[in-house]
Amino acid sequence: MSAYERIADLSVTIESVERRRYTGETTSGFERTTTEFRLAGDGVVGRGEDVTYETADHDALVGTDPIDIEGEWTIDGLSARLDEIDLFAHKEPEQAYFRNYRRWAVESAALDLALRQRGESLGECLGIEPDPVRFVVSTRLGEPPTTDRVEELLALDDELEFKLDPTPDWPEEAFETLRETEAVRILDLKGWYEGTDVDVEADPELYRDVFAAFPAAVVEDAAFTTETRPLVEPQADRLSFDYPIDGVESLKALPVEPGWCNVKPSRFGTLESLFEAIAYCEERGIELYGGGQFELASGRTAIQTLAALFYPEGPNDVAPRPFNDPEASPPYPTSPIRPDRDAVGFEF
């Protein structure tokens, strides 16, 4: 049986639906807002986090009635019901793909609740023993770019590894210093973003420098332009994609078959789409690692749980919250994150 088939017929009793809003500053210099959907039934609560980036989309939920999904369901039956519900009925989302983010929040909350009502973890349900999760720390070099934060963290823990976002204004000395650390696992070029605050132009000089300075690192979301394609295509085995990936069809539509894929569960929307994509990558020999989106609540546990079950040794961008919290101070958690053998629900 596939992973989805193992959870599709789980029964879940939903007696009430509530929401809780979270806000927090980030080390990337912006205030993060998320909304956690809380589904209650049989004396337990299942939680799932809506990681939609625009605060206005969370504001639109204030004072509105929760969605009408109370009753007895299977996980698959509830997903079919959600096909008929507009989760943004009070306001169109700022970006169309935010619909998947909210859908994921509700479906993951339902799965969490179903598992808690059974008194078991996702790993127990799937018959998979969770492993310790290796993680990388995702950070930016600031403006102007410096390697200070990377060096400060390595001074505290010389076994830390990093996911960084190169930009055309990185000075040569930054490449040199970072290469010497041998701690950079992923370089995210953000070449597929459009109309966001994190867009990075597809600069062939930047791409050439990244590929040359970090010959063993995974390179994420490289854009394919007339100028960059000759640089990017020969690197297919270490290319990864994140932004455009929302299901199996999006993987098939990539300009190359990559060696890697960044799994951000909320991008897939449904549990079925997520597990289908994981299976597809495993069948094709595409290496996986988990991705984070500055989760503030249960969403972070969910991405860590999936990593523990499916890709524990990957360069997982699922670091514990203190690494994204500007108010946090040492000591920080160390990698790997170890499973809790008493975990129940969408936890490990």
Side-chain angles (χ1 to χ4, degrees):
M1 295 177 69
S2 70
Y4 185 70
E5 288 171 335
R6 288 183 180 275
I7 66 168
D9 291 331
L10 291 182
S11 61
V12 58
T13 301
I14 303 173
E15 297 171 358
S16 65
V17 180
E18 297 182 354
R19 298 184 298 258
R20 178 174 294 182
R21 180 174 172 135
Y22 291 85
T23 59
E25 296 297 326
T26 70
T27 52
S28 292
F30 70 97
E31 183 179 74
R32 184 67 164 116
T33 299
T34 67
T35 298
E36 188 174 71
F37 282 76
R38 297 184 161 211
L39 314 184
D42 291 346
V44 292
V45 178
R47 302 181 300 160
E49 189 172 2
D50 175 5
V51 294
T52 294
Y53 276 100
E54 294 294 336
T55 301
D57 288 324
H58 297 282
D59 291 341
L61 291 173
V62 176
T64 64
D65 292 330
I67 53 177
D68 181 15
I69 54 172
E70 295 176 3
E72 303 280 342
W73 306 93
T74 63
I75 291 297
D76 193 60
L78 177 61
S79 184
R81 170 65 180 129
L82 290 172
D83 284 340
E84 303 169 351
I85 297 175
D86 183 359
L87 298 177
F88 284 82
H90 303 285
K91 173 188 174 296
E92 281 294 306
E94 296 290 323
Q95 299 285 347
Y97 55 83
F98 290 167
R99 290 189 177 278
N100 278 3
Y101 292 5
R102 189 158 294 169
R103 176 70 172 265
W104 168 255
V106 179
E107 291 212 8
S108 60
L111 177 58
D112 188 37
L113 178 59
L115 292 166
R116 291 180 185 279
Q117 289 173 343
R118 292 165 61 93
E120 67 180 6
S121 68
L122 179 58
E124 289 170 331
C125 180
L126 297 177
I128 303 174
E129 187 75 16
D131 286 321
V133 177
R134 181 181 182 181
F135 67 80
V136 298
V137 176
S138 181
T139 189
R140 299 176 186 172
L141 299 193
E143 296 181 9
T146 75
T147 59
D148 292 353
R149 176 164 168 76
V150 172
E151 294 180 89
E152 289 166 2
L153 289 172
L154 285 174
L156 296 169
D157 179 357
D158 61 7
E159 294 186 359
L160 277 180
E161 298 175 306
F162 295 86
K163 175 179 181 287
L164 304 177
D165 301 345
T167 60
D169 58 347
W170 270 22
E172 183 177 346
E173 55 266 28
F175 284 95
E176 294 173 354
T177 299
L178 294 169
R179 180 177 63 246
E180 290 171 1
T181 69
E182 299 183 348
V184 180
R185 292 292 311 282
I186 308 173
L187 287 306
D188 185 357
L189 292 172
K190 297 190 179 299
W192 288 64
Y193 286 87
E194 294 181 1
T196 74
D197 293 336
V198 297
D199 294 10
V200 178
E201 63 179 287
D203 182 338
E205 290 301 320
L206 173 64
Y207 284 33
R208 187 175 292 108
D209 289 343
V210 166
F211 287 128
F214 306 99
V218 175
V219 178
E220 189 174 294
D221 280 355
F224 285 71
T225 69
T226 301
E227 293 179 307
T228 63
R229 184 178 292 272
L231 301 169
V232 173
E233 284 186 338
Q235 305 287 340
D237 286 350
R238 64 179 177 125
L239 294 183
S240 176
F241 292 89
D242 156 27
Y243 178 81
I245 305 304
D246 59 9
V248 170
E249 292 307 312
S250 61
L251 283 161
K252 292 179 178 179
L254 292 171
V256 296
E257 180 164 285
W260 295 82
C261 179
N262 180 351
V263 179
K264 287 186 176 175
S266 65
R267 292 207 189 280
F268 296 85
T270 68
L271 291 159
E272 183 175 20
S273 178
L274 168 68
F275 287 123
E276 282 181 348
I278 290 174
Y280 175 84
C281 288
E282 290 176 341
E283 292 166 2
R284 303 288 295 184
I286 300 172
E287 298 284 349
L288 299 171
Y289 59 94
Q293 293 173 287
F294 296 96
E295 292 84 359
L296 301 177
S298 57
R300 190 171 297 255
T301 305
I303 62 176
Q304 292 169 344
T305 299
L306 290 166
L309 298 177
F310 293 102
Y311 30 86
E313 290 297 321
N316 292 294
D317 182 15
V318 300
R321 166 69 178 151
F323 287 104
N324 301 128
D325 182 356
E327 299 300 319
S329 59
Y332 296 112
T334 58
S335 181
I337 311 168
R338 302 202 174 272
D340 176 358
R341 298 303 175 184
D342 297 323
V344 177
F346 206 155
E347 297 185 351
F348 72 104

